[in-house]
Protein backbone atom coordinates (compact mmCIF):
# COMPACT_ATOMS: atom_id res chain seq x y z
CA UNK A 1 0.00 0.00 0.00
CA UNK A 2 1.18 3.50 -0.87
CA UNK A 3 -0.19 6.49 1.03
CA UNK A 4 0.48 9.95 -0.37
CA UNK A 5 -0.52 12.95 1.75
CA UNK A 6 -1.94 16.09 0.20
CA UNK A 7 -0.70 18.72 2.64
CA UNK A 8 -3.24 21.54 2.87
CA UNK A 9 -3.35 22.34 6.56
CA UNK A 10 -6.83 21.73 7.97
CA UNK A 11 -7.96 20.44 4.55
CA UNK A 12 -5.19 17.82 4.27
CA UNK A 13 -6.08 14.28 3.26
CA UNK A 14 -4.49 11.03 2.15
CA UNK A 15 -4.47 9.31 -1.22
CA UNK A 16 -4.34 5.56 -0.61
CA UNK A 17 -3.15 3.42 -3.52
CA UNK A 18 -3.41 -0.35 -3.28
CA UNK A 19 -4.54 -3.19 -5.52
CA UNK A 20 -7.79 -4.57 -4.12
CA UNK A 21 -8.50 -1.59 -1.88
CA UNK A 22 -12.06 -1.28 -3.24
CA UNK A 23 -13.06 -4.52 -1.52
CA UNK A 24 -11.52 -3.20 1.72
CA UNK A 25 -12.87 0.32 1.43
CA UNK A 26 -14.99 -0.05 4.57
CA UNK A 27 -11.80 0.17 6.66
CA UNK A 28 -11.56 3.82 5.65
CA UNK A 29 -15.21 4.65 5.04
CA UNK A 30 -16.80 3.27 8.22
CA UNK A 31 -15.23 5.92 10.47
CA UNK A 32 -16.50 8.60 8.07
CA UNK A 33 -20.04 7.17 8.05
CA UNK A 34 -20.71 8.24 11.68
CA UNK A 35 -23.11 5.28 11.93
CA UNK A 36 -25.28 6.78 9.19
CA UNK A 37 -26.22 5.62 5.73
CA UNK A 38 -23.67 6.65 3.09
CA UNK A 39 -24.70 7.94 -0.33
CA UNK A 40 -22.67 6.55 -3.23
CA UNK A 41 -22.88 8.33 -6.58
CA UNK A 42 -21.78 6.39 -9.64
CA UNK A 43 -22.72 5.83 -13.28
CA UNK A 44 -24.14 2.94 -15.25
CA UNK A 45 -20.71 1.79 -16.46
CA UNK A 46 -19.42 1.24 -12.93
CA UNK A 47 -22.14 -1.06 -11.57
CA UNK A 48 -19.82 -4.07 -10.99
CA UNK A 49 -17.53 -1.90 -8.85
CA UNK A 50 -20.58 -0.49 -7.06
CA UNK A 51 -21.58 -4.03 -6.10
CA UNK A 52 -18.10 -4.67 -4.66
CA UNK A 53 -18.16 -1.46 -2.65
CA UNK A 54 -21.66 -1.95 -1.28
CA UNK A 55 -20.87 -5.53 -0.30
CA UNK A 56 -17.79 -4.34 1.59
CA UNK A 57 -19.77 -1.67 3.41
CA UNK A 58 -22.61 -4.04 4.23
CA UNK A 59 -20.17 -6.59 5.71
CA UNK A 60 -18.85 -3.84 7.95
CA UNK A 61 -22.35 -2.85 9.07
CA UNK A 62 -22.55 0.35 7.01
CA UNK A 63 -25.76 1.02 5.11
CA UNK A 64 -25.47 2.68 1.71
CA UNK A 65 -27.72 4.16 -0.94
CA UNK A 66 -26.62 4.25 -4.58
CA UNK A 67 -27.43 7.08 -6.96
CA UNK A 68 -26.75 5.88 -10.51
CA UNK A 69 -26.35 8.49 -13.23
CA UNK A 70 -25.88 8.21 -17.01
CA UNK A 71 -22.27 7.92 -18.18
CA UNK A 72 -20.50 10.49 -20.33
CA UNK A 73 -19.44 14.13 -20.35
CA UNK A 74 -23.07 15.21 -20.76
CA UNK A 75 -23.66 14.28 -17.13
CA UNK A 76 -21.56 17.29 -16.03
CA UNK A 77 -24.53 19.58 -16.57
CA UNK A 78 -26.89 21.94 -14.76
CA UNK A 79 -29.70 19.41 -15.14
CA UNK A 80 -27.72 16.58 -13.54
CA UNK A 81 -26.40 18.88 -10.81
CA UNK A 82 -29.97 19.79 -9.91
CA UNK A 83 -31.06 16.16 -10.01
CA UNK A 84 -28.14 15.05 -7.83
CA UNK A 85 -28.46 17.80 -5.22
CA UNK A 86 -32.19 17.19 -4.93
CA UNK A 87 -31.58 13.48 -4.38
CA UNK A 88 -28.88 14.10 -1.76
CA UNK A 89 -31.26 16.41 0.10
CA UNK A 90 -34.01 13.80 -0.11
CA UNK A 91 -31.63 11.33 1.50
CA UNK A 92 -31.06 13.76 4.35
CA UNK A 93 -27.36 14.33 3.76
CA UNK A 94 -25.89 16.47 6.54
CA UNK A 95 -22.87 18.76 6.59
CA UNK A 96 -20.89 16.19 8.56
CA UNK A 97 -21.67 13.36 6.14
CA UNK A 98 -19.41 12.10 3.36
CA UNK A 99 -20.78 11.27 -0.09
CA UNK A 100 -18.77 8.72 -2.08
CA UNK A 101 -17.92 9.53 -5.71
CA UNK A 102 -17.33 6.17 -7.42
CA UNK A 103 -16.42 6.62 -11.06
CA UNK A 104 -14.32 8.57 -13.51
CA UNK A 105 -13.63 12.26 -13.76
CA UNK A 106 -17.21 13.15 -14.71
CA UNK A 107 -18.62 11.62 -11.53
CA UNK A 108 -15.84 13.02 -9.37
CA UNK A 109 -16.24 16.55 -10.73
CA UNK A 110 -20.03 16.53 -10.47
CA UNK A 111 -20.19 14.98 -7.00
CA UNK A 112 -17.48 17.24 -5.65
CA UNK A 113 -19.30 20.33 -6.89
CA UNK A 114 -22.64 19.10 -5.54
CA UNK A 115 -21.02 18.48 -2.14
CA UNK A 116 -19.52 21.97 -2.17
CA UNK A 117 -23.00 23.51 -2.29
CA UNK A 118 -25.32 21.06 -0.50
CA UNK A 119 -26.05 22.70 2.85
CA UNK A 120 -23.15 25.06 2.08
CA UNK A 121 -20.71 22.18 1.99
CA UNK A 122 -20.59 18.55 3.03
CA UNK A 123 -17.78 16.01 2.83
CA UNK A 124 -16.99 13.62 0.03
CA UNK A 125 -14.64 10.78 -0.82
CA UNK A 126 -13.15 10.06 -4.22
CA UNK A 127 -12.88 6.45 -5.42
CA UNK A 128 -11.75 6.94 -9.04
CA UNK A 129 -12.29 4.08 -11.48
CA UNK A 130 -10.50 5.42 -14.57
CA UNK A 131 -6.79 6.02 -15.07
CA UNK A 132 -7.41 9.68 -15.85
CA UNK A 133 -9.32 10.21 -12.62
CA UNK A 134 -6.79 8.24 -10.59
CA UNK A 135 -3.78 10.28 -11.71
CA UNK A 136 -5.41 13.68 -12.07
CA UNK A 137 -8.97 14.75 -11.42
CA UNK A 138 -9.57 12.90 -8.12
CA UNK A 139 -6.72 14.80 -6.42
CA UNK A 140 -6.66 18.53 -5.82
CA UNK A 141 -10.25 19.58 -5.17
CA UNK A 142 -11.17 21.07 -8.53
CA UNK A 143 -14.87 20.39 -9.06
CA UNK A 144 -17.11 21.66 -11.84
CA UNK A 145 -19.78 21.18 -14.44
CA UNK A 146 -19.82 22.25 -18.08
CA UNK A 147 -22.02 25.02 -19.46
CA UNK A 148 -22.99 26.19 -22.93
CA UNK A 149 -20.04 28.59 -22.80
CA UNK A 150 -17.43 25.90 -22.22
CA UNK A 151 -15.89 23.18 -20.10
CA UNK A 152 -15.61 23.39 -16.30
CA UNK A 153 -16.68 27.04 -16.21
CA UNK A 154 -19.03 26.58 -13.24
CA UNK A 155 -17.44 25.02 -10.19
CA UNK A 156 -15.61 25.36 -6.90
CA UNK A 157 -12.47 24.29 -5.09
CA UNK A 158 -13.68 21.61 -2.66
CA UNK A 159 -11.15 19.11 -1.35
CA UNK A 160 -12.15 15.49 -0.70
CA UNK A 161 -11.63 13.96 2.73
CA UNK A 162 -9.96 10.89 1.25
CA UNK A 163 -9.02 9.34 -2.10
CA UNK A 164 -8.95 5.54 -2.49
CA UNK A 165 -7.25 4.27 -5.66
CA UNK A 166 -7.50 0.63 -6.68
CA UNK A 167 -5.40 -0.06 -9.81
CA UNK A 168 -7.21 -3.38 -10.29
CA UNK A 169 -10.42 -1.62 -11.37
CA UNK A 170 -8.60 -0.58 -14.54
CA UNK A 171 -8.83 -4.19 -15.73
CA UNK A 172 -12.43 -3.47 -16.80
CA UNK A 173 -11.62 -0.17 -18.51
CA UNK A 174 -11.71 -0.10 -22.34
CA UNK A 175 -8.29 0.43 -23.91
CA UNK A 176 -9.37 3.73 -25.45
CA UNK A 177 -10.08 5.12 -21.98
CA UNK A 178 -6.79 3.77 -20.60
CA UNK A 179 -4.99 5.59 -23.42
CA UNK A 180 -6.91 8.77 -22.66
CA UNK A 181 -5.89 8.54 -19.02
CA UNK A 182 -2.28 7.98 -20.01
CA UNK A 183 -2.23 11.47 -21.50
CA UNK A 184 -2.48 12.84 -17.96
CA UNK A 185 0.33 10.52 -16.85
CA UNK A 186 2.85 11.60 -19.49
CA UNK A 187 1.87 15.22 -18.81
CA UNK A 188 3.82 15.13 -15.54
CA UNK A 189 6.99 14.31 -17.44
CA UNK A 190 6.41 17.10 -19.91
CA UNK A 191 5.76 19.68 -17.18
CA UNK A 192 8.96 19.44 -15.15
CA UNK A 193 10.24 15.85 -15.03
CA UNK A 194 12.11 14.81 -18.19
CA UNK A 195 13.35 11.61 -16.49
CA UNK A 196 9.72 10.55 -16.02
CA UNK A 197 9.04 11.26 -19.70
CA UNK A 198 11.95 8.91 -20.48
CA UNK A 199 10.28 6.30 -18.25
CA UNK A 200 6.98 6.81 -20.08
CA UNK A 201 8.58 6.29 -23.48
CA UNK A 202 10.07 3.01 -22.28
CA UNK A 203 7.13 1.72 -20.25
CA UNK A 204 3.95 3.03 -21.89
CA UNK A 205 3.30 -0.24 -23.79
CA UNK A 206 3.49 -2.25 -20.56
CA UNK A 207 1.29 0.25 -18.74
CA UNK A 208 -1.35 0.17 -21.46
CA UNK A 209 -1.22 -3.63 -21.51
CA UNK A 210 -2.07 -3.72 -17.80
CA UNK A 211 1.31 -4.61 -16.31
CA UNK A 212 0.72 -4.23 -12.54
CA UNK A 213 4.17 -2.86 -11.71
CA UNK A 214 4.13 -0.26 -14.49
CA UNK A 215 0.59 0.74 -13.64
CA UNK A 216 1.30 1.09 -9.92
CA UNK A 217 4.46 3.14 -10.51
CA UNK A 218 2.76 5.48 -12.98
CA UNK A 219 -0.18 6.12 -10.66
CA UNK A 220 1.94 6.70 -7.55
CA UNK A 221 4.43 8.93 -9.36
CA UNK A 222 1.67 11.01 -10.94
CA UNK A 223 -0.30 11.40 -7.71
CA UNK A 224 2.84 12.39 -5.79
CA UNK A 225 3.65 15.01 -8.44
CA UNK A 226 0.15 16.45 -8.35
CA UNK A 227 -0.01 16.40 -4.53
CA UNK A 228 3.23 18.38 -4.39
CA UNK A 229 2.00 21.02 -6.82
CA UNK A 230 -1.44 21.31 -5.17
CA UNK A 231 0.17 21.74 -1.74
CA UNK A 232 2.25 24.61 -3.15
CA UNK A 233 -0.61 26.35 -4.97
CA UNK A 234 -4.06 25.04 -4.06
CA UNK A 235 -6.08 27.67 -5.94
CA UNK A 236 -3.74 28.59 -8.79
CA UNK A 237 -2.78 31.88 -7.18
CA UNK A 238 0.99 31.65 -7.74
CA UNK A 239 0.96 30.08 -11.20
CA UNK A 240 2.55 26.79 -10.09
CA UNK A 241 -0.67 24.79 -10.28
CA UNK A 242 -1.46 26.32 -13.65
CA UNK A 243 1.31 24.11 -15.08
CA UNK A 244 -1.06 21.16 -14.63
CA UNK A 245 -3.16 22.71 -17.41
CA UNK A 246 -0.57 21.85 -20.06
CA UNK A 247 -2.47 20.95 -23.22
CA UNK A 248 -5.82 21.99 -21.78
CA UNK A 249 -6.30 25.35 -23.49
CA UNK A 250 -5.91 23.79 -26.92
CA UNK A 251 -7.57 20.55 -25.76
CA UNK A 252 -10.68 22.17 -24.32
CA UNK A 253 -11.19 24.06 -27.59
CA UNK A 254 -11.09 20.75 -29.46
CA UNK A 255 -13.51 19.21 -26.96
CA UNK A 256 -15.87 22.16 -27.36
CA UNK A 257 -15.84 21.73 -31.13
CA UNK A 258 -16.66 18.04 -30.57
CA UNK A 259 -19.61 19.03 -28.39
CA UNK A 260 -18.06 17.67 -25.18
CA UNK A 261 -18.98 14.17 -26.27
CA UNK A 262 -17.41 10.73 -26.56
CA UNK A 263 -16.36 11.77 -30.04
CA UNK A 264 -13.26 13.16 -28.31
CA UNK A 265 -12.46 12.02 -24.78
CA UNK A 266 -10.93 14.56 -22.41
CA UNK A 267 -7.58 12.77 -22.32
CA UNK A 268 -7.51 12.61 -26.11
CA UNK A 269 -8.11 16.35 -26.25
CA UNK A 270 -5.32 16.92 -23.73
CA UNK A 271 -2.93 14.74 -25.75
CA UNK A 272 -3.61 16.70 -28.92
CA UNK A 273 -3.38 19.92 -26.92
CA UNK A 274 0.03 19.03 -25.49
CA UNK A 275 1.34 18.24 -28.96
CA UNK A 276 -0.04 21.57 -30.18
CA UNK A 277 1.52 23.44 -27.25
CA UNK A 278 4.91 21.94 -28.03
CA UNK A 279 4.39 22.50 -31.75
CA UNK A 280 3.50 26.16 -31.18
CA UNK A 281 6.52 26.57 -28.90
CA UNK A 282 8.84 25.08 -31.50
CA UNK A 283 7.32 27.14 -34.31
CA UNK A 284 8.09 30.31 -32.33
CA UNK A 285 11.63 29.31 -31.42
CA UNK A 286 10.84 28.67 -27.77
CA UNK A 287 11.52 24.93 -27.76
CA UNK A 288 13.72 22.65 -29.88
CA UNK A 289 11.85 21.23 -32.86
CA UNK A 290 13.31 17.84 -31.92
CA UNK A 291 11.47 17.92 -28.59
CA UNK A 292 8.15 18.80 -30.23
CA UNK A 293 8.66 16.00 -32.76
CA UNK A 294 9.53 13.57 -29.95
CA UNK A 295 6.36 14.40 -28.02
CA UNK A 296 4.16 14.04 -31.10
CA UNK A 297 5.85 10.78 -32.09
CA UNK A 298 5.32 9.29 -28.65
CA UNK A 299 1.63 10.19 -28.60
CA UNK A 300 1.14 8.74 -32.09
CA UNK A 301 2.99 5.56 -31.14
CA UNK A 302 0.55 4.77 -28.36
CA UNK A 303 -2.55 5.70 -30.34
CA UNK A 304 -3.27 9.21 -29.08
CA UNK A 305 -3.95 12.21 -31.36
CA UNK A 306 -1.10 14.64 -31.93
CA UNK A 307 -3.02 17.54 -33.47
CA UNK A 308 -6.31 18.92 -34.73
CA UNK A 309 -6.84 16.56 -37.67
CA UNK A 310 -5.67 13.53 -35.69
CA UNK A 311 -8.29 14.38 -33.07
CA UNK A 312 -10.95 14.16 -35.77
CA UNK A 313 -11.72 17.87 -35.66
CA UNK A 314 -12.43 19.88 -38.80
CA UNK A 315 -12.25 23.49 -37.72
CA UNK A 316 -10.14 26.50 -38.63
CA UNK A 317 -8.04 28.56 -36.28
CA UNK A 318 -10.66 31.25 -35.88
CA UNK A 319 -13.27 28.73 -34.72
CA UNK A 320 -10.94 27.11 -32.19
CA UNK A 321 -9.67 30.43 -30.83
CA UNK A 322 -13.29 31.54 -30.38
CA UNK A 323 -13.74 28.55 -28.06
CA UNK A 324 -10.59 29.54 -26.17
CA UNK A 325 -12.04 32.96 -25.38
CA UNK A 326 -14.37 31.22 -22.91
CA UNK A 327 -11.43 29.65 -21.07
CA UNK A 328 -11.74 30.05 -17.30
CA UNK A 329 -8.09 31.17 -17.11
CA UNK A 330 -8.87 34.44 -18.93
CA UNK A 331 -7.51 37.33 -16.87
CA UNK A 332 -8.06 41.02 -17.71
CA UNK A 333 -8.85 40.00 -21.27
CA UNK A 334 -5.61 38.03 -21.66
CA UNK A 335 -5.45 34.27 -22.11
CA UNK A 336 -2.41 32.62 -20.51
CA UNK A 337 -0.93 29.68 -22.43
CA UNK A 338 1.14 26.78 -21.14
CA UNK A 339 4.11 26.61 -23.50
CA UNK A 340 7.45 24.80 -23.31
CA UNK A 341 11.14 25.50 -23.53
CA UNK A 342 11.63 21.78 -24.02
CA UNK A 343 10.58 18.47 -22.46
CA UNK A 344 10.27 19.15 -18.75
CA UNK A 345 10.33 22.90 -19.32
CA UNK A 346 6.68 23.95 -19.27
CA UNK A 347 5.99 27.57 -18.32
CA UNK A 348 3.10 30.02 -18.23
CA UNK A 349 3.15 32.65 -20.99
CA UNK A 350 0.80 35.62 -20.72
CA UNK A 351 2.02 37.39 -23.84
CA UNK A 352 0.70 35.04 -26.52
CA UNK A 353 -0.97 36.81 -29.44
CA UNK A 354 -4.18 35.02 -30.39
CA UNK A 355 -3.66 36.05 -34.01
CA UNK A 356 -0.46 33.97 -33.92
CA UNK A 357 -2.41 31.07 -32.43
CA UNK A 358 -5.01 31.29 -35.22
CA UNK A 359 -2.28 31.30 -37.87
CA UNK A 360 -0.52 28.35 -36.24
CA UNK A 361 -3.72 26.29 -36.10
CA UNK A 362 -4.54 27.10 -39.69
CA UNK A 363 -1.05 26.04 -40.73
Amino acid sequence: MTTIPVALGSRSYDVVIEAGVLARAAEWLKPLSRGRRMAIVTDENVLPHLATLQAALSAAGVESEAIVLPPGEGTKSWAMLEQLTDRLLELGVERGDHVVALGGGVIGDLVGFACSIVKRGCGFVQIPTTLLAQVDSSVGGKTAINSRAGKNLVGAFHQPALVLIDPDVLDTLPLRHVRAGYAEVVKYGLIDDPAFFDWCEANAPALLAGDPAARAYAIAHSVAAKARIVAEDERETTGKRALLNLGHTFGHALEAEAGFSDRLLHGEGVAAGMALAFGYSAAHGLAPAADADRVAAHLRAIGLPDGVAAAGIEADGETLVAHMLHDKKMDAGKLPFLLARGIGGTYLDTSVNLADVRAFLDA
Side-chain angles (χ1 to χ4, degrees):
M1 183 175 70
T2 300
T3 301
I4 298 170
V6 182
L8 293 169
S10 62
R11 296 178 306 287
S12 297
Y13 54 95
D14 287 336
V15 181
V16 178
I17 307 168
E18 184 180 26
V21 76
L22 182 64
R24 296 175 43 230
E27 294 179 27
W28 290 269
L29 296 182
K30 186 171 183 177
L32 296 176
S33 72
R34 307 186 304 156
R36 290 168 50 81
R37 178 177 54 181
M38 295 195 84
I40 304 170
V41 185
T42 190
D43 71 41
E44 295 161 1
N45 289 338
V46 191
L47 294 181
H49 301 316
L50 172 65
T52 299
L53 177 58
Q54 288 195 293
L57 290 173
S58 180
V62 179
E63 294 184 17
S64 62
E65 179 82 17
I67 302 172
V68 182
L69 303 177
E73 193 73 23
T75 294
K76 283 175 56 171
S77 66
W78 284 109
M80 282 297 171
L81 178 66
E82 180 181 21
Q83 180 178 316
L84 176 57
T85 52
D86 282 346
R87 183 65 181 131
L88 292 175
L89 292 170
E90 288 170 2
L91 292 174
V93 169
E94 298 176 354
R95 286 185 180 181
D97 289 339
H98 290 80
V99 178
V100 178
L102 176 69
V106 167
I107 290 295
D109 282 3
L110 175 66
V111 174
F113 186 34
C115 289
S116 77
I117 58 177
V118 165
K119 297 187 176 176
R120 295 195 176 96
C122 65
F124 81 114
V125 173
Q126 290 268 22
I127 305 183
T129 59
T130 65
L131 180 59
L132 189 147
Q134 289 181 352
V135 302
D136 185 63
S137 62
S138 66
V139 179
K142 279 188 175 181
T143 72
I145 60 171
N146 303 329
S147 70
R148 284 194 299 270
K151 187 179 178 73
N152 295 335
L153 295 182
V154 181
F157 286 96
H158 189 55
Q159 300 293 343
L162 172 71
V163 182
L164 297 178
I165 295 177
D166 187 343
D168 284 352
V169 303
L170 302 180
D171 290 340
T172 62
L173 197 65
L175 179 57
R176 182 188 177 196
H177 288 260
V178 177
R179 283 198 189 103
Y182 174 77
E184 295 281 8
V185 172
V186 74
K187 178 186 75 177
Y188 293 104
L190 297 176
I191 290 173
D192 63 1
D193 192 348
F196 184 57
F197 183 76
D198 293 343
W199 183 91
C200 287
E201 284 185 311
N203 293 277
L207 170 61
L208 296 176
D211 177 77
R215 192 160 59 185
Y217 179 78
I219 293 170
H221 190 94
S222 300
V223 169
K226 182 158 191 184
R228 170 178 52 81
I229 292 173
V230 169
E232 292 179 27
D233 182 18
E234 180 183 4
R235 293 175 175 259
E236 283 188 20
T237 55
T238 69
K240 180 67 174 178
R241 185 167 180 173
L243 299 180
L244 294 169
N245 293 319
L246 175 63
H248 287 60
T249 299
F250 287 105
H252 283 173
L254 298 175
E255 287 184 83
E257 187 63 19
F260 300 115
S261 68
D262 285 348
R263 179 180 156 201
L264 183 69
L265 300 179
H266 175 62
E268 294 168 339
V270 169
M274 290 190 297
L276 289 168
F278 269 80
Y280 181 91
S281 299
H284 288 77
L286 303 170
D291 280 10
D293 291 343
R294 184 180 169 196
V295 171
H298 177 60
L299 295 173
R300 285 196 305 271
I302 59 173
L304 284 169
D306 65 341
V308 178
I313 300 299
E314 297 180 0
D316 59 16
E318 183 173 358
T319 300
L320 294 175
V321 167
H323 289 306
M324 293 178 188
L325 294 177
H326 295 290
D327 194 289
K328 60 185 176 295
K329 297 184 293 299
M330 288 287 290
D331 184 25
K334 298 286 289 185
L335 178 57
F337 276 79
L338 276 301
L339 302 178
R341 297 186 177 94
I343 291 172
T346 296
Y347 72 100
L348 188 67
D349 193 322
T350 59
S351 63
V352 174
N353 186 321
L354 290 180
D356 290 341
V357 176
R358 282 192 290 268
F360 167 74
L361 290 169
D362 284 334

